[in-house]
């Protein structure tokens, strides 16, 4: 408690000090101009109060979809961007909240209640991406040592739908959510934000930018500290986050950028609520905790760094060299609802819940080196032919009747390496009565009859890849675009799994070496300057997630392969203030790993899965002061074939047929109410399967959110109400016995000052 109070006081003192410091340093020549602001990924944070400002506008360009800078309107893939203003309007501290009104993306239940899990077009995203690099695993893939993502230094969130194997290598074919962090700019600004809310939520956030040398060196610091309890009994969390960054304009042609992060998270794991006989166990309160409050805690330390050196040789030749690294340590104790003695895991009559305890230490290291070479040139200049008029002797371009033909070529080489080491100790805990729990603390028992107490496991996984990417984009005037590319990857990995050698033997040692190629192609036509029609095809490979799957002949399974077709339309309205997109898609994944029908201990490549659907999305500012986002998705994602037809026809867990939502705010621009704003949103979802085995369904749900704010000069106050009607609903996580309860009604107040 004293540590928490001390850090909050530090935040308040920083507020006072920064206000004085920047007041002394700032001058009209040093203050960030709108032009300067528009050079920064964080620009949506820096606003001009009392009038329409840049952050209200939809973000009309993104790099996640192509790695080549271009307008979203001219991109032959489905991509959307959530800007910083949206994060602030919705008082978001968990980035999973930000995707609620994005087409094609839904939240999945997180492993033990924390971390990010996105189902994109039905498929669970394998990795967390930051600035285009892997920054952690989705928690539902396996226990993540990285911890939750903090929003303090996020400038925007980009969502690429469909296979990303061409651009980012291995992964599921649904797409990726890519967090783009903020970088310094040449100006002096600072802001301090204090939030407080339900369940003892307190968060202090600092954002400071300093132009150390005009047009030469800029520094930035984003930092946050928060503490919170939960609507779930005993569950709490605490986080410290610091993200320094540096921009060095070495020469007009050469730029160096450093982005660093340190986060420390601690809290209590939540195993979820018991699910049995097709429903959450009746009589168990929504706030019930089924772990052990004096045992199930986690401590996570994560360091991340990204160095980028870019040199512009000419206007048409740019080289970018990037170094990305991550180091995470997670010491965790957690409780699962599970039983290994063949008894009922959840007894619906007595309410007894069987439990497993895990004491684990996970260490993760990741290094990535990427070299990008971008070439741009004009193949044919359509206006090159000219004539001289006879009377006025003027040179007049005649044109040839053919449009100007331009080409962009990206060649990228990349080396990536990751090592995950985990030591775990497994036991059982005494069953807990979910109706009337009596917590016993850590009182371990053998996991199953015949097994020793403190069953150990050592898991060491190392993977590395070399890849070469080539992506070519050809344009004919401003109306026709073609893209064609491919990525070849040599992937090598080893996994050593030793589980209680005195009981199970020497363990497994799996080596795999795979050479894969993922092509992509697309075409786009613009019937008018503000609309486009596109078609794309893409493939992807899942090479990492099945390392522990062994065939009966003790070999490794082949990589799962996916291909996707997509076509859609995009349009800008009101001079770019409103952007709309709609698309249809089909993704087919083959070679899906499944249990061997002759011996389920082993695996075979024998499955096929398919996801198809329709998406539409509208974002922008129809009139000054009115911000709007709206989305709808229809997804039919299911198992097509499997050994002995197991689960054939079943839908993917957690994926509704219908989902969508909207969020809208209006800020009065004139009169007595100038600066005052109101907003509301609604997110809805249809019913979902709890598991791929279709062991039950979770009902559809709706959540209503409200916001009211007032700003005057550099001061802003805001209040948000999330889940206004306190609806109780759940997220599936492909677990037979548990589901994750969604956030109960939460009220958050925000006070923010800019200097």
């Amino acid at each position: 408690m004293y540590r928490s109070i001390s850090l909050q006081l530090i935040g308040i003192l920083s507020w006072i000090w920064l206000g004085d410091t920047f007041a002394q340093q700032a001058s009209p020549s040093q203050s960030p101009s709108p032009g300067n602001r528009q050079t920064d990924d964080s620009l949506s944070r820096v606003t001009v109060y009392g009038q329409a400002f840049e952050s209200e506008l939809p973000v009309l360009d993104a790099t996640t979809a192509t790695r080549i800078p271009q307008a979203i309107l001219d991109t032959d893939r489905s991509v959307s961007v959530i800007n910083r203003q949206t994060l602030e309007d919705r008082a978001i501290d968990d980035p999973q909240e930000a995707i609620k009104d994005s087409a094609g993306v839904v939240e999945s239940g997180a492993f033990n209640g924390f971390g990010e899990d996105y189902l994109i077009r039905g498929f669970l995203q394998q990795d967390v991406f930051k600035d285009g690099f892997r920054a952690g695993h989705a928690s539902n893939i396996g226990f993540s040592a990285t911890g939750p993502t903090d929003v303090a230094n996020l400038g925007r969130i980009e969502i690429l739908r469909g296979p990303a194997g061409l651009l980012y290598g291995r992964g599921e074919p649904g797409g990726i959510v890519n967090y783009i962090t903020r970088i310094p700019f040449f100006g002096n600004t600072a802001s301090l934000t204090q939030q407080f809310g339900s369940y003892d939520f307190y968060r202090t956030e600092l954002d400071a930018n300093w132009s150390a040398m005009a047009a030469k060196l800029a520094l930035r610091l984003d930092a946050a500290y928060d503490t919170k309890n939960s609507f779930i009994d005993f569950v709490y969390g605490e986080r410290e986050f610091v993200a320094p960054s540096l921009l060095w304009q070495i020469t007009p042609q050469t730029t160096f950028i450093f982005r660093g992060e340190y986060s420390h998270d601690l809290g209590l794991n939540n195993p979820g609520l018991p699910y049995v006989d097709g429903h959450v166990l009746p009589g168990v309160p929504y706030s019930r905790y089924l772990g052990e409050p004096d045992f199930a805690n986690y401590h996570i330390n994560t360091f991340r760094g990204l160095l980028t050196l870019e040199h512009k040789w000419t206007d048409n030749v740019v080289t970018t060299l990037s170094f990305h690294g991550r180091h995470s340590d997670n010491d965790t104790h957690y409780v699962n609802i599970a039983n290994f003695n063949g008894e009922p895991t959840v007894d619906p009559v007595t309410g007894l819940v069987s439990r497993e305890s895990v004491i684990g230490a996970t260490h993760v290291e990741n290094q990535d080196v990427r070299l990008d070479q971008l070439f741009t040139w004009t193949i044919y200049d359509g206006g090159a032919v000219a004539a001289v008029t006879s009377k006025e002797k003027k040179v007049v371009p005649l044109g040839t009747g053919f449009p100007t033909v331009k080409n962009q070529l990206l060649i990228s080489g990349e080396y990536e390496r990751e090592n995950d080491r985990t030591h775990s100790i497994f036991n059982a805990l005494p069953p807990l009565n979910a109706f009337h729990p009596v917590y016993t603390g850590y009182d371990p028992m053998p996991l199953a009859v015949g097994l020793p107490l403190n069953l150990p496991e050592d898991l060491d996984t190392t993977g590395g890849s070399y890849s070469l990417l080539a992506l070519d984009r050809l344009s004919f005037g401003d109306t026709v675009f073609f893209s064609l590319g491919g990525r070849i990857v040599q992937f090598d990995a080893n996994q050593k799994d030793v589980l209680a050698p005195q009981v199970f033997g020497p363990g497994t040692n799996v080596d795999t070496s795979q050479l894969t190629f993922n092509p992509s192609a697309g075409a786009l036509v613009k019937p008018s300057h503000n609309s486009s029609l596109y078609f794309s095809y893409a493939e992807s490979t899942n090479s990492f997630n099945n390392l522990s799957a062994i065939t009966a002949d003790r070999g490794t399974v082949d990589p799962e392969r996916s291909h996707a077709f997509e076509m859609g339309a995009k349009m800008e309205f009101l001079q770019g203030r409103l952007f709309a997109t709609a698309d249809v898609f089909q993704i087919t994944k083959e070679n899906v790993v499944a249990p061997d029908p002759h011996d389920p201990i082993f695996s075979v490549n024998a499955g096929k899965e398919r996801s198809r659907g329709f998406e539409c999305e509208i974002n922008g500012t129809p009139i000054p002061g009115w911000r709007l986002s709206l989305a709808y998705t229809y997804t039919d994602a299911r198992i097509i074939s499997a050994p002995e037809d197991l689960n054939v026809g079943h839908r993917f867990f957690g994926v509704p047929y219908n989902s969508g939502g909207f969020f809208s705010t209006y800020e009065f621009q004139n009169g007595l109410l100038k600066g005052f704003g109101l907003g509301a949103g609604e997110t809805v979802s249809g019913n979902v399967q709890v598991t791929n085995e279709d062991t039950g369904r979770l009902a559809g749900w709706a959540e209503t959110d409200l916001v009211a704010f007032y700003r005057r000069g550099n001061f802003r106050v805001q209040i948000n109400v999330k889940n206004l009607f306190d609806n109780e609903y759940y997220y599936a996580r492909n677990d037979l016995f548990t589901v994750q309860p969604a956030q109960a009604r939460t009220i958050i107040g925000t006070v923010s000052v800019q200097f």
Side-chain angles (χ1 to χ4, degrees), residues 138-161:
S139 67
N140 228 331
I141 295 295
F143 193 78
S144 174
T146 306
T149 298
D150 199 282
V151 301
N153 68 331
L154 298 189
R156 63 183 187 271
I157 301 174
E158 298 186 357
I159 301 170
L160 169 64
R161 304 177 188 89

Side-chain angles (χ1 to χ4, degrees), residues 4 49 64 79 175 196 206 218 243 297 299 388 416 495 505 542 555 572 638 653 682-683 686 719 744:
S4 172
Y49 291 99
T64 299
V79 60
F196 46 89
L206 169 69
N297 53 69
H299 295 263
V388 179
E416 183 180 7
Q495 184 177 81
N542 183 340
E572 294 179 6
R638 62 183 64 245
F653 83 93
E682 186 83 8
T683 306
I719 186 166

Side-chain angles (χ1 to χ4, degrees), residues 259-272:
R259 310 180 197 196
E261 291 181 10
Y262 166 74
S263 62
H264 172 71
D265 289 272
L266 60 89
L268 192 69
N269 286 306
N270 171 37

